C-alpha cells in the first residue's frame, strides 16, 4: 500500500469516527461465581450457552460436559446463588437461541429437527416460570432461523416466514451467512447483528423488508487492525441483547484490563454509548495470552439498572449503569 493511499484511508477512518461516544467506565459491583451452585444442581455441568436476567433472576441455558450424554437444562437462579428451577430438555437444541419473556418469566428454547430423520420437527419449547415444559410452536420443516414475533413465532425456511408465508429473504442482509439471532425490537421490526462485517440488521416480517447498516466504532477499528494478519477475519461481537429500547453488544478484541467493551445502539445502528464493565478474574482462566486470568465476556444482559457480563464457564461480572466515581 502506498503512503498516500494509507494516509487517505486513515483520514477517512478518522472522519467516520468523529462524534463517536467516549468510553465510560461503569461502577463495578461484586462479581458472582455461579460454578458451585451449577455443579451442585446440574449433573455434568459444562457450559452456559444462553443467558438473560429478569428482575435480578438469572435465566440460563446450560449444556452438559462434552464427556456426558446428559440433557441440556434451563436453570433459574437468584443473585445469591439459590437455584429455583433446573428443567432438563432433550436436544438437539440450537445452542445460540434462548429467549426469556420479561413480562412472564417464561423461557424459550429451539429444538432442531434431526438432519437425517424423516418427519422430524422444529419445536420451540416454553419453560414456564413454574418450571413446566410445553410446546409453544411446531414447524414441519427444517428452518434457518426462528424469531419471536409478538406472542407468535416465525420460522424462516426457503426465504419465507412461517406460518404466514410472507417474504423474509435475508440474502442481501447476511452475505456471510452468519446472521445472529433476531430479537424483537419494536412492534414492527426484529433486529440482529451480523458480527463478521459487522452490521446491524433490521427485518420487518410483515413485508420482508431488510435494512442493513455497517457498524462504525473505534472498538471495531481496533479489532480489525489486530486481525489484519487473519485473511478470514473474525467476529466483531460475541453477544448482544435488546433492553430498554436499545441494542447492547459486547465488542471483541478489546484490552481485558480495561473491562468488557459494551456498545449501546439505537434502532438505526448508531452507537449511543460506549461502556466498560470491569472483568472478574480467576486463576483457573489464566493462560499465556491471559496471564491475569480475566474472564471472557461471552454474554451480556441488562436489567434493573445493572449491566451483566457472563463468562460461559460460570463467572459473572456486574456493573451499575452509572459511571465509576
Amino acid at each position: 500500500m502506498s503512503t498516500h493511499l494509507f494516509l487517505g484511508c486513515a483520514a477517512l477512518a478518522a472522519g467516520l469516527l468523529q462524534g463517536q461516544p467516549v468510553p465510560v467506565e461503569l461502577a463495578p459491583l461484586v462479581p458472582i461465581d455461579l460454578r458451585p451452585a451449577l455443579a451442585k444442581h446440574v449433573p455434568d455441568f459444562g457450559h452456559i450457552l444462553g443467558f438473560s436476567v429478569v428482575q435480578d433472576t438469572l435465566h440460563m441455558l446450560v449444556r452438559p460436559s462434552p464427556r456426558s450424554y446428559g440433557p441440556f437444562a434451563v436453570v433459574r437462579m437468584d443473585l445469591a446463588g439459590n437455584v429455583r428451577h433446573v428443567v432438563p430438555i432433550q436436544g438437539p437444541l440450537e445452542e445460540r437461541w434462548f429467549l426469556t419473556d420479561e413480562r412472564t418469566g417464561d423461557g424459550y428454547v429451539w429444538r432442531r429437527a434431526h438432519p437425517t430423520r424423516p418427519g422430524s420437527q422444529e419445536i420451540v419449547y416454553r419453560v414456564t416460570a413454574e418450571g413446566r415444559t410445553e410446546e409453544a410452536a411446531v414447524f414441519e420443516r427444517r428452518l434457518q432461523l426462528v424469531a419471536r414475533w409478538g406472542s407468535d413465532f416465525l420460522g424462516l425456511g426457503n426465504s419465507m416466514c412461517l406460518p404466514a408465508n410472507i417474504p423474509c429473504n435475508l440474502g442481501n442482509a447476511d452475505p456471510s451467512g452468519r446472521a445472529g439471532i433476531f430479537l424483537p425490537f419494536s412492534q414492527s421490526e426484529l433486529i440482529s447483528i451480523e458480527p463478521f462485517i459487522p452490521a446491524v440488521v433490521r427485518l420487518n416480517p410483515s413485508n420482508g423488508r431488510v435494512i442493513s447498516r455497517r457498524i462504525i466504532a473505534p472498538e471495531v477499528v481496533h479489532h480489525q487492525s489486530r486481525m489484519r494478519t487473519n485473511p478470514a477475519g473474525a467476529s466483531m461481537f460475541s453477544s448482544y441483547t435488546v433492553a430498554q429500547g436499545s441494542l447492547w453488544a459486547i465488542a471483541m478484541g478489546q484490552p481485558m484490563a480495561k473491562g468488557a467493551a459494551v456498545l449501546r445502539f439505537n434502532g438505526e445502528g448508531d452507537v449511543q454509548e460506549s461502556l466498560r464493565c470491569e472483568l472478574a478474574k480467576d486463576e483457573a482462566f489464566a493462560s499465556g495470552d491471559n496471564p491475569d486470568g480475566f474472564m471472557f465476556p461471552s454474554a451480556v444482559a441488562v436489567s434493573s439498572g445493572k449491566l451483566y457480563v457472563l463468562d460461559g464457564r460460570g463467572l459473572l461480572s456486574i456493573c451499575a449503569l452509572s459511571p465509576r466515581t
Side-chain angles (χ1 to χ4, degrees):
M1 179 183 291
S2 70
T3 302
H4 293 294
L5 180 57
F6 177 82
L7 292 175
C9 292
L12 176 61
L16 291 173
L17 293 176
Q18 283 185 355
Q20 293 293 315
V22 176
V24 174
E25 189 176 352
L26 299 178
L29 303 176
V30 178
I32 301 175
D33 189 347
L34 307 175
R35 291 168 294 181
L38 289 173
K40 178 180 179 180
H41 293 276
V42 181
D44 298 315
F45 163 65
H47 202 83
I48 302 170
L49 300 171
F51 171 72
S52 62
V53 183
V54 180
Q55 296 179 350
D56 293 335
T57 296
L58 310 179
H59 299 250
M60 296 170 283
L61 175 62
V62 176
R63 181 181 66 193
S65 164
R67 301 183 302 272
S68 169
Y69 292 95
F72 290 76
V74 172
V75 180
R76 297 189 176 108
M77 181 190 305
D78 64 24
L79 296 180
N82 300 310
V83 175
R84 298 177 178 175
H85 294 123
V86 177
V87 184
I89 300 178
Q90 296 294 334
L93 297 184
E94 173 54 61
E95 297 187 355
R96 299 182 303 162
W97 200 90
F98 177 66
L99 298 178
T100 304
D101 190 326
E102 295 185 358
R103 301 165 301 175
T104 64
D106 293 345
Y108 297 89
V109 296
W110 173 12
R111 196 192 76 177
R112 301 301 310 252
H114 196 283
T116 61
R117 193 171 297 163
S120 181
Q121 298 171 317
E122 306 263 329
I123 301 175
V124 176
Y125 285 111
R126 177 189 296 111
V127 181
T128 68
E130 296 77 27
R132 300 189 309 274
T133 303
E134 54 195 32
E135 292 182 359
V138 179
F139 301 96
E140 299 297 333
R141 51 176 163 167
R142 189 164 178 82
L143 303 173
Q144 295 170 254
L145 65 87
V146 165
R148 180 79 183 269
W149 181 244
S151 59
D152 299 318
F153 289 89
L154 294 173
L156 178 66
N158 298 329
S159 301
M160 300 297 288
C161 275
L162 307 174
N165 283 331
I166 53 179
C168 283
N169 192 343
L170 295 178
N172 295 329
D174 181 26
S176 73
R178 295 161 171 166
I181 299 166
F182 275 82
L183 302 174
F185 188 75
S186 68
Q187 293 183 346
S188 61
E189 286 187 321
L190 305 170
I191 199 165
S192 176
I193 283 184
E194 204 295 344
F196 291 84
I197 291 180
V200 171
V201 182
R202 291 153 51 202
L203 166 66
N204 185 329
S206 64
N207 57 23
R209 185 186 183 199
V210 174
I211 299 175
S212 179
R213 181 171 180 180
R214 279 184 176 271
I215 296 171
I216 299 173
E219 291 81 2
V220 171
V221 173
H222 171 77
H223 190 37
Q224 288 174 330
S225 66
R226 295 178 66 246
M227 299 304 297
R228 282 176 183 164
T229 57
N230 182 1
S235 173
M236 298 292 139
F237 294 90
S238 64
S239 172
Y240 56 91
T241 188
V242 170
Q244 301 177 2
S246 297
L247 178 67
W248 309 69
I250 299 176
M252 296 281 285
Q254 311 305 306
M256 288 186 168
K258 294 184 178 180
V262 178
L263 304 183
R264 182 176 70 85
F265 299 89
N266 62 15
E268 301 300 319
D270 300 316
V271 179
Q272 302 296 292
E273 287 186 294
S274 177
L275 307 171
R276 299 294 182 272
C277 182
E278 183 178 290
L279 292 172
K281 300 179 185 179
D282 191 303
E283 292 181 356
F285 297 166
S287 65
D289 296 331
N290 181 22
D292 294 316
F294 285 107
M295 59 176 276
F296 177 78
S298 61
V300 62
V302 177
S303 179
S304 303
K306 302 184 189 73
L307 177 72
Y308 298 82
V309 177
L310 175 78
D311 184 314
R313 293 168 291 187
L315 200 55
L316 182 66
S317 285
I318 309 174
C319 287
L321 283 175
S322 56
R324 182 198 287 260
T325 57

